[in-house]
Amino acid sequence: MTKLRVHDMAGEFGISADEVIALLRQMDVPVRSHLSLLTDDQVSRIRARWEREKRLRAEKAQPAPAAAPRRRR
């Protein structure tokens, strides 16, 4: 039973610890700082949540298909 800290999860995800803390608080996980310890259950929940967030961010970041250039007559 290895406990990870919030800043370890942030490094794994490649985002700031503040973003991880915000996600955890949305999930009603009590955290105080980037040094807070997370249980195995909390770690698995935040990993699943991050995968969903990552997909949503990727969908939002994809630009709309470019319109075909107009031909001049």
Side-chain angles (χ1 to χ4, degrees), residues 4-10 13 15-50 53:
L4 293 176
R5 296 189 185 271
V6 171
H7 70 88
D8 295 328
M9 298 305 300
F13 300 155
I15 59 176
S16 71
D18 290 335
E19 289 181 90
V20 175
I21 290 171
L23 281 173
L24 288 165
R25 287 185 177 156
Q26 287 174 2
M27 297 168 54
D28 294 327
V29 176
V31 291
R32 297 179 86 187
S33 73
H34 66 285
L35 295 175
S36 297
L37 289 172
L38 301 171
T39 64
D40 291 336
D41 180 52
Q42 291 169 336
V43 169
S44 62
R45 287 177 53 209
I46 190 66
R47 282 183 177 144
R49 175 69 181 260
W50 173 244
E53 286 287 323

